[in-house]
């Protein structure tokens, strides 16, 4: 479905990122694992099927750093002759991220919003500028159901987990950033969409998994491979006229 598309996946070395990279390669695209750690990028590539290695490349990318972004755009353009899409999937945060609401310091809140939402703005701006000059492009922002609905704190009872206030602010802001960019880039042949994900299995406590399942329709927490079909659709020509949309994949949690 992706026909040799060159697709940059920020945070491509992570749990969700690797599933995206594998799906892109399986569908005939060239997936670029873009991570702040080049070592982690190489490790992620090596962990994927050998049959896909030819369709996977790695770069070191800091989405909060202008020079890092522009240098890698130039290098990829020189290597491949084009870049077709950017998948914004990185998850930058500081060491104090994830505290409960009353424990979050003002400085940490600002830093985490700046790193994550600011980083998405930063990398999107530079790729969008390149896409406009190139004549085509596609940006997919990875958001969350907690950018759409209020947290359901009761499902976290009995665990040390919570919904970080920064996360909710970041993801809701990202949804509007998608719409802003979509309209701003009118007539530029650059699409921008959001993929809002429900919870992804990653070793969470059983009590939380049960409570989360009770809020869903069929499965509950999803595996990374459960969400890749929607990404491939947004990258493909089948969604050519889908623009400015927020596609939710959450097994009905947000209903």
């Amino acid at each position: 479905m992706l026909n040799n598309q060159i697709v940059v996946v920020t945070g491509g070395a992570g749990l969700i990122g690797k599933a995206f990279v594998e799906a892109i390669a399986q569908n005939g695209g060239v997936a670029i694992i873009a991570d702040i750690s080049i070592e982690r990028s190489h490790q992620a590539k090596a962990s994927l099927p050998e049959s896909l290695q030819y369709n996977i490349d790695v770069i070191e990318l800091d989405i909060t750093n202008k020079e890092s972004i522009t240098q890698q755009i130039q290098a990829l353009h020189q290597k491949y002759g084009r870049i077709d899409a950017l998948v914004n999937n990185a998850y930058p945060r500081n060491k104090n991220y994830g505290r409960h609401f009353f424990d979050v310091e003002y400085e940490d809140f600002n830093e985490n919003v700046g790193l994550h939402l600011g980083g998405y703005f930063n990398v999107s701006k530079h790729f969008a500028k390149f896409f406009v000059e190139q004549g085509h492009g596609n940006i997919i922002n990875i958001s969350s159901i907690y950018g759409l609905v209020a947290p359901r704190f009761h499902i976290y009872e009995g665990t040390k987990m919570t919904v970080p206030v920064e996360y909710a602010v970041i993801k809701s802001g990202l949804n509007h950033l998608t719409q802003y960019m979509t309209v701003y880039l009118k007539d530029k042949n650059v699409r921008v969409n959001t993929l809002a994900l429900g919870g992804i299995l990653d070793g969470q406590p059983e009590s939380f998994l049960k409570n989360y399942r009770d809020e869903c329709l069929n499965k509950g927490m999803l595996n990374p491979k459960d969400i890749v079909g929607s990404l491939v659709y947004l990258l493909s020509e089948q969604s050519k006229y889908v623009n400015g949309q927020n596609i939710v994949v959450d097994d009905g949690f947000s209903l």
Side-chain angles (χ1 to χ4, degrees):
M1 288 179 66
L2 302 185
N3 194 27
N4 293 316
Q5 282 194 40
I6 310 302
V7 183
V8 177
V9 182
T10 69
L15 177 68
I16 297 173
K18 284 196 294 185
F20 286 163
V21 167
E22 183 173 4
I24 291 164
Q26 285 175 335
N27 281 274
V30 176
I32 313 297
I33 299 176
D35 197 275
I36 197 169
S37 167
I38 192 67
E39 180 181 358
R40 191 161 55 222
S41 294
H42 282 293
Q43 290 172 348
K45 178 180 178 179
S47 72
L48 294 170
E50 185 176 350
S51 61
L52 301 177
Q53 295 294 312
Y54 181 77
N55 281 43
I56 301 172
D57 201 351
V58 300
I59 61 172
E60 184 175 4
L61 181 69
D62 180 356
I63 68 171
T64 68
N65 184 289
K66 174 183 176 180
E67 287 70 29
S68 175
I69 298 166
T70 55
Q71 287 173 7
Q72 291 296 357
I73 290 174
Q74 182 180 13
L76 290 171
H77 183 221
Q78 289 176 346
K79 183 172 183 177
Y80 293 103
R82 69 185 195 282
I83 305 171
D84 297 296
L86 167 71
V87 179
N88 268 324
N89 178 64
Y91 198 170
R93 54 202 182 275
N94 76 10
K95 63 180 182 179
N96 293 326
Y97 175 84
R99 292 177 172 179
H100 286 255
F101 182 78
F102 289 129
D103 298 323
V104 177
E105 298 293 343
Y106 173 75
E107 293 78 11
D108 289 323
F109 178 90
N110 287 344
E111 183 177 1
N112 282 308
V113 172
L115 287 170
H116 195 151
L117 184 57
Y120 276 38
F121 156 76
N122 195 33
V123 71
S124 295
K125 181 185 79 170
H126 292 292
F127 270 85
K129 184 177 181 180
F130 170 81
F131 289 153
V132 169
E133 294 171 352
Q134 175 178 252
H136 76 275
N138 189 356
I139 298 174
I140 301 170
N141 292 316
I142 305 305
S143 188
S144 165
I145 49 175
Y146 281 141
L148 298 170
V149 299
R152 297 179 185 173
F153 290 111
H154 65 277
I155 69 175
Y156 300 92
E157 291 178 2
T159 77
K160 296 180 179 180
M161 301 166 60
T162 188
V163 179
V165 61
E166 308 98 313
Y167 186 80
V169 171
I170 288 162
K171 294 306 186 182
S172 59
L174 180 59
N175 295 341
H176 197 77
L177 178 62
T178 294
Q179 295 179 331
Y180 181 102
M181 291 177 62
T182 302
V183 177
Y184 188 82
L185 295 169
K186 180 181 178 180
D187 295 327
K188 304 298 185 184
N189 198 29
V190 179
R191 294 195 291 132
V192 189
N193 289 288
T194 299
L195 193 57
L197 307 180
I200 305 298
L201 284 166
D202 190 19
Q204 295 91 346
E206 284 298 325
S207 61
F208 168 77
L209 296 178
K210 180 183 182 304
N211 291 338
Y212 189 96
R213 170 65 182 86
D214 290 342
E215 301 289 323
C216 298
L217 301 180
N218 295 295
K219 183 174 183 177
M221 296 284 284
L222 303 176
N223 292 306
K225 291 188 177 182
D226 293 330
I227 62 179
V228 299
S230 297
L231 178 81
V232 172
Y233 166 71
L234 287 175
L235 288 170
S236 75
E237 285 294 302
Q238 293 188 20
S239 61
K240 186 175 182 179
Y241 298 107
V242 177
N243 206 355
Q245 301 305 303
N246 190 352
I247 296 179
V248 180
V249 185
D250 70 345
D251 191 30
F253 180 93
S254 57
L255 295 177

